[in-house]
Amino acid sequence: MYLNTPSRRTIRLTRRGRIALIAAGAVVAGTAVAVPLLSTGEEKPKPTSLVVPKGWRASQVYDAVDKALALPPGSTKKSLEKLDLKLPNDADGNPEGYLFPATYPLERGGKRATPESLLSAMVDTANKKFSGAPIAAGAQRNAMNVYQAVTIASIVQAEAGSKADMGKVARVVFNRLERGMPLQMDSTINYALGRSTLRTTEADTRIESPYNSYQRMGLPPTPISNPGEEAMRAAISPSPGDWLYFVTVKPGDTRFTADYAEHQRNVAEFNAQQKASPRAGK
């Protein structure tokens, strides 16, 4: 993923047969005969589990739960109003970051899952993963609480192009925070705008949002995705380095540097790649 530079010249983020029913009527000797409904296909079996991928936003999880349980759109999100999820106080009732990516059964003990049971299971899993000694100690070692570590991990999950880059992305976050620099992460802009794209415009960086990490200092107010364990490890144990900038010039080629001039050259190469493949950023 890409990190926009202080000059804002960089552009980057933060990555269903059909059943036909035929009804016919026939009149025989003046008597109406009903023809049974016919099906041209077989019904698909109900899903038995729900997979939540790493890096999904809460909105994506809500939509997936609605579909898996064949509920009207918006049902799962609405159910939050009556839930008492075991979230950190800092979350203020927002489960973003704590809907842990894993596979969840949709039936247990003969009972079908509900939005409430699924969301509770996700948060309980996150608490088990995040509240253990390694994560808590790692957060404390870096002078932050676990919620802040989850927030950094969510950025790492959204920005890193590979597991190998996660520790470096985390280090860039820490280095910029320590130097009083805005994070300038395009993934936070995308979160604010409810989208996913490689292209961030100058106008995008001026939006009024607490998630605009171009104009606001420090971490966003909440996580911006639901990170996996690798991203969490990176957030509490970032790779050693002095990097302040990074840009993924092309898939598999993410370049980290502390030198702004070198970063500008990398950005120029990225821009050239985008012009050569205009669809790559869509």
Side-chain angles (χ1 to χ4, degrees), residues 32-82:
V33 179
V35 178
L37 294 177
L38 303 176
S39 174
T40 61
E42 296 181 0
E43 291 187 12
K44 290 184 178 180
K46 291 183 179 180
T48 59
S49 61
L50 172 65
V51 177
V52 177
K54 300 170 186 175
W56 263 16
R57 299 170 184 164
S59 59
Q60 293 173 287
V61 177
Y62 302 153
D63 290 345
V65 173
D66 286 343
K67 292 177 181 177
L69 299 181
L71 298 172
S75 297
T76 299
K77 185 176 182 179
K78 187 175 181 179
S79 72
L80 287 171
E81 299 172 2
K82 56 184 178 181

Side-chain angles (χ1 to χ4, degrees), residues 3-282:
L3 175 69
N4 288 1
T5 68
S7 66
R8 298 178 182 168
R9 293 178 58 194
T10 324
I11 310 173
R12 168 75 158 157
L13 178 93
T14 136
R15 302 202 235 317
R16 259 189 224 282
R18 142 174 138 341
I19 298 176
L21 297 179
I22 305 171
V27 179
V28 179
T31 304
V33 179
V35 178
L37 294 177
L38 303 176
S39 174
T40 61
E42 296 181 0
E43 291 187 12
K44 290 184 178 180
K46 291 183 179 180
T48 59
S49 61
L50 172 65
V51 177
V52 177
K54 300 170 186 175
W56 263 16
R57 299 170 184 164
S59 59
Q60 293 173 287
V61 177
Y62 302 153
D63 290 345
V65 173
D66 286 343
K67 292 177 181 177
L69 299 181
L71 298 172
S75 297
T76 299
K77 185 176 182 179
K78 187 175 181 179
S79 72
L80 287 171
E81 299 172 2
K82 56 184 178 181
L83 288 184
D84 184 20
L85 299 173
K86 298 176 182 178
L87 296 166
N89 290 333
D90 289 345
D92 195 26
N94 182 351
E96 190 74 83
Y98 279 73
L99 301 178
F100 194 79
T103 300
Y104 298 91
L106 296 179
E107 191 167 319
R108 181 172 289 174
K111 293 183 178 181
R112 190 71 172 167
T114 65
E116 294 85 351
S117 67
L118 285 172
L119 295 181
S120 294
M122 294 174 196
V123 172
D124 290 346
T125 302
N127 283 323
K128 290 177 183 178
K129 298 288 185 179
F130 300 159
S131 299
I135 300 297
Q140 186 175 18
R141 185 173 62 248
N142 288 285
M144 60 183 173
N145 60 32
V146 172
Y147 190 72
Q148 291 170 319
V150 174
T151 301
I152 292 176
S154 74
I155 295 174
V156 170
Q157 187 75 66
E159 291 281 352
S162 67
K163 291 181 182 179
D165 288 340
M166 286 184 170
K168 292 182 177 182
V169 172
R171 177 55 66 188
V172 170
V173 172
F174 278 101
N175 287 346
R176 293 179 76 91
L177 290 174
E178 290 170 359
R179 288 162 177 75
M181 299 172 67
L183 294 183
Q184 296 185 317
M185 296 284 178
D186 291 355
S187 55
T188 66
I189 297 288
N190 280 336
Y191 185 81
L193 295 174
R195 70 182 192 189
S196 294
T197 181
L198 304 186
R199 299 186 183 278
T200 298
T201 67
E202 182 75 16
D204 291 338
T205 67
R206 295 194 299 267
I207 64 170
E208 283 295 327
S209 171
Y211 295 92
N212 185 347
S213 62
Y214 281 79
Q215 296 188 345
R216 295 175 181 263
M217 303 297 292
L219 295 173
T222 72
I224 62 167
S225 71
N226 293 280
E229 293 183 87
E230 298 93 345
M232 278 301 296
R233 284 195 290 268
I236 61 172
S237 298
S239 303
D242 61 354
W243 312 292
L244 293 171
Y245 315 99
F246 68 90
V247 60
T248 300
V249 175
K250 54 187 176 182
D253 183 10
T254 301
R255 303 177 190 178
F256 296 81
T257 182
D259 182 82
Y260 181 55
E262 180 182 356
H263 180 60
Q264 285 183 307
R265 292 192 292 270
N266 292 336
V267 168
E269 189 170 342
F270 161 69
N271 288 331
Q273 290 279 347
Q274 293 296 297
K275 289 180 179 179
S277 303
R279 294 183 60 83
K282 295 183 179 180

